Amino acid sequence: MGKPGPKRTLSEDAIVAAALEVLDERGADAVSVRSIAARVGIAPNAVYTYFPDKAAVLRAVVDRLIGEQSLAVLAGDEPWQDRIRTVALGLRSSLLRHPGAATLLMSAPMDGPRALEFGERLLDVLSEAGFTPEDAARLSYALIVYILGAIALEAAEVDPSRPAPPEEERIALRRNGFAKVPADTFPRTAAAAEVMARYVSTEQFLWGLDRVLGRATIPS
Amino acid sequence: MGKPGPKRTLSEDAIVAAALEVLDERGADAVSVRSIAARVGIAPNAVYTYFPDKAAVLRAVVDRLIGEQSLAVLAGDEPWQDRIRTVALGLRSSLLRHPGAATLLMSAPMDGPRALEFGERLLDVLSEAGFTPEDAARLSYALIVYILGAIALEAAEVDPSRPAPPEEERIALRRNGFAKVPADTFPRTAAAAEVMARYVSTEQFLWGLDRVLGRATIPS
DNA sequence: ACCTGAACACCGTTCAAGT
DNA sequence: ACCTGAACACCGTTCAAGT
């Protein structure tokens, strides 16, 4: 439509924003170079002016999603475990708001600036809490594994091509899934179905996080 | 080439095996309905005789990978934590042998028969260890989150279109990644780089697993 | 430097037809 | 029931050309 020109009419950020809009409105499968380009009004191949390939766009999307969560709370004066809990919960609700994003999360190394910032602040907190640099590094890695793993598994259950459902609906979905487990071959799983279904939720997320944080609440 | 016939010349298993071969030889991106079909010698659309769609094939591949790990050790007479450690390590090395598989792992609910079997045996162990059904359910979920999350993050670092590298090489890859972190803006991350790089390994995997299992080894 | 149109080599899936 | 060839509506990416 518009006349071509040498001026830079867009930015990397505009591309990423468009990708995120497509992700939210039409699901992960609909995020293509062509759909992104159409949304910002350029030819598909013009995207390659801003990013080397599609994977780079997706990495930038993931980094932007991580950046949606404010890290200010990590510098507060509550107990350090509470600060980590708060920021983990925030990251979880940020990411669950974008179904399909979780798949992207686990499929590429997280080396974007916002992801690095997150890791750095986590190390700050753990250092302040008295951990040696080595233990802080290990614990921060274990925390990230748990947080992202939990989010990815929660998101895996929902249809990525539809808008993000609320927690209640996700629990119901899971209940339906477990209802199909044959009780004769998997008796324990069937018996635990109700608990399993309910605990794809804030409560189970925090329960596991506390285990990693070192607050055992049950006998071992 | 061959003449068409009404006989069932293949099986679901043959399709899954072919998909796994393509995954290992040419990477995750090369796993297409067409490449799978070509490998077993049928037309692409004949795959739809065995599976409703591509996603179902991938789910079956994931279930088969989970089944590669023997669960016999879970019924042994060592301490229950040791049995869980052993089976977690086995699952990890099984899955890391197939790079790109980890992405599949997190992108769909794990409701295949082998995955259910794994969960059931885990509940057996935890029940035998004295956990209430509710705590056993929560802990088994937390363990699965940690195990799969750790594997997915480890696998995310490697190029999925090339054969799986050994642990040494994965550590070196990670070291290179951290070497690029600017020390002035992310001082703690840069300082922890060597630890972070080394602990994408059996050692860090077990360290975090022990946290979830409840064996805190550092002050909290 | 940034954009375009056209093309290349692919996809997943559906359909009508054959045995 | 299981397979085929042909087609549909897409992909990511590259290239030569325009401003």
Side-chain angles (χ1 to χ4, degrees), chain B:
Chain B
M1 291 278 213
K3 292 167 198 164
K7 298 273 172 53
R8 171 175 260 250
T9 58
L10 294 167
S11 62
E12 282 87 349
D13 234 60
I15 305 280
V16 173
L20 205 42
E21 284 171 30
V22 176
L23 183 71
D24 287 344
E25 291 172 17
R26 296 167 49 207
D29 290 348
V31 180
S32 65
V33 173
R34 296 173 118 101
S35 65
I36 295 167
R39 182 162 284 261
V40 292
I42 58 177
N45 47 1
V47 171
Y48 292 82
T49 306
Y50 300 91
F51 292 95
D53 52 28
K54 186 191 179 184
V57 179
L58 297 183
R59 261 183 278 125
V61 168
V62 168
D63 203 56
R64 186 197 187 91
L65 287 175
I66 289 172
E68 276 186 4
Q69 172 56 34
S70 164
L71 302 176
V73 68
L74 283 179
D77 51 7
E78 299 154 54
W80 65 272
Q81 291 98 332
D82 286 340
R83 283 178 273 155
I84 290 178
R85 276 189 202 100
T86 304
V87 85
L89 281 177
L91 196 59
R92 172 170 171 269
S93 61
S94 266
L95 291 174
L96 288 181
R97 233 174 278 132
H98 307 279
T103 309
L104 301 182
L105 259 190
M106 310 301 279
S107 59
M110 292 194 308
D111 46 12
R114 323 265 204 153
L116 283 172
E117 182 73 26
F118 186 89
E120 183 76 9
R121 293 290 84 78
L122 207 50
L123 289 173
D124 277 345
V125 171
L126 297 176
S127 167
E128 184 200 323
F131 289 95
T132 66
E134 179 146 342
D135 279 343
R138 300 205 236 207
L139 183 52
S140 75
Y141 185 75
L143 285 168
I144 288 169
V145 162
Y146 177 78
I147 293 169
L148 297 185
I151 294 168
L153 281 183
E154 285 192 60
E157 222 99 7
V158 315
D159 182 353
S161 65
R162 315 219 342 108
E167 182 160 302
E168 295 251 336
E169 198 175 320
R170 296 210 322 279
I171 294 175
L173 251 165
R174 250 198 152 216
R175 213 192 309 266
N176 283 348
F178 276 110
K180 284 172 206 134
V181 173
D184 49 343
T185 41
F186 305 111
R188 291 194 195 278
T189 307
E194 183 54 30
V195 178
M196 295 280 219
R198 261 190 297 120
Y199 287 104
V200 183
S201 65
T202 303
E203 195 178 346
Q204 165 71 0
F205 177 78
L206 281 178
W207 188 92
L209 185 67
D210 277 358
R211 285 235 132 200
V212 181
L213 283 170
R215 261 201 201 172
T217 53
I218 56 173
S220 60

Side-chain angles (χ1 to χ4, degrees), chain A residues 31-116:
Chain A
V31 180
S32 65
V33 173
R34 297 173 118 99
S35 63
I36 295 167
R39 182 162 282 262
V40 292
I42 57 177
N45 48 2
V47 171
Y48 292 83
T49 305
Y50 299 91
F51 292 95
D53 53 27
K54 185 190 179 185
V57 179
L58 296 183
R59 262 183 276 124
V61 168
V62 168
D63 202 56
R64 187 197 187 90
L65 286 175
I66 289 173
E68 276 186 5
Q69 172 55 33
S70 164
L71 301 177
V73 67
L74 283 178
D77 51 7
E78 299 153 54
W80 65 272
Q81 291 99 331
D82 286 339
R83 282 179 273 155
I84 290 178
R85 275 188 205 100
T86 303
V87 84
L89 282 177
L91 196 59
R92 173 170 170 266
S93 60
S94 266
L95 290 174
L96 289 181
R97 231 173 281 132
H98 306 280
T103 309
L104 302 182
L105 259 190
M106 310 301 280
S107 58
M110 293 195 307
D111 47 12
R114 322 265 204 154
L116 283 173

Side-chain angles (χ1 to χ4, degrees), chain A residues 141-186:
Chain A
Y141 185 76
L143 286 169
I144 287 169
V145 162
Y146 176 78
I147 293 169
L148 297 185
I151 294 168
L153 282 183
E154 285 191 60
E157 221 101 6
V158 315
D159 182 353
S161 65
R162 316 217 343 107
E167 183 160 301
E168 296 251 335
E169 199 175 319
R170 296 210 322 280
I171 295 175
L173 251 165
R174 252 200 151 213
R175 212 191 309 266
N176 284 347
F178 276 110
K180 283 173 205 132
V181 173
D184 50 342
T185 40
F186 305 111

